Amino acid sequence: MADLKITIMNKEGENRFQATGRDQVLTVYEGEYEPGDSIVFETTDTDTYYVIRVDDCMDEAYVYLTAEKVVYTIPFHEKRVSYNPRCFTGKRHYITMRRAKEFENSSYRNLAKNVMDQHGDLGCYPHAFANVETRGESVFAARNAIDGILANKSHGPWPYESWGINTQDDAEITLDFGRPVDFDQVVLYTRADFPHDNWWVKATLIFSDGTEEIVEMEKSAEPHMFHVEKKNITWIKLCNLIKADDPSPFPALSQIEVYGVNSYTE
């Protein structure tokens, strides 16, 4: 059993609202969010799986928590444009947190997806980070590549957010699972806002066990699907990105999916 807590905090660190539960918290916050507000998720049992809904306009996030406290900062202004414009608005908010069910922990799924991933977040996995994000703008942040949104025929605000590389030749993105996983398929949705966009013809996937896989792609809005069987992998890096011979300098990644199971289930 885990003692769970959800707290709404303002920018001064003061509690605006709090709800608690044992293994599950289902709560409704009556109030408007203000700049600087955050939702704090706490548990007494770490290194295990939880299902969290940070907003009723977002999917639930199946996550692996390694920290007792995860602070989710409510996005405002420029940071909000990569989210559904209905998210975090209004005066009533449905927020939930529960321990994941055994069947969820053993199920075959997209292990990369985490709708509540944040820039610089630690303790909540999976987590994506990169060595470059175009102009530091939220619509080109690494987290966009694992938010579950597959729209890739344009670029910019939701639902066309992506990981942008700022035309940097040595760009790379890392997907950290936070625990060992087994998988048999990697899927890449490259951005396809042609002719604005370029595309990658080749890339390298490096895995935490030291192995590598070179994959080839083409000009397409369809998913690039690769059969890659790996076990006990804690992270994947996508790098050595080779652009096509095209006038556009703007290739980008809309989404990465990794299909498999947790290496160790509870």
Side-chain angles (χ1 to χ4, degrees), residues 116-133:
M116 66 176 291
D117 191 31
Q118 300 179 93
H119 190 274
D121 183 43
L122 295 175
C124 182
Y125 298 93
H127 173 55
F129 59 94
N131 65 342
V132 60
E133 296 173 337

Side-chain angles (χ1 to χ4, degrees), residues 2 18 23 38 50 52 68 80-82 103-104 122 124 131 149-150 157 169 178 217-218 221 231:
Q18 192 168 85
D23 278 351
S38 60
Y50 292 89
I52 298 175
E68 293 182 350
R80 183 173 282 183
V81 296
S82 61
F103 75 87
E104 293 172 306
L122 295 175
C124 182
N131 65 342
I149 305 297
L150 305 180
D169 289 337
M217 292 169 279
E218 59 187 19
K231 293 184 180 296

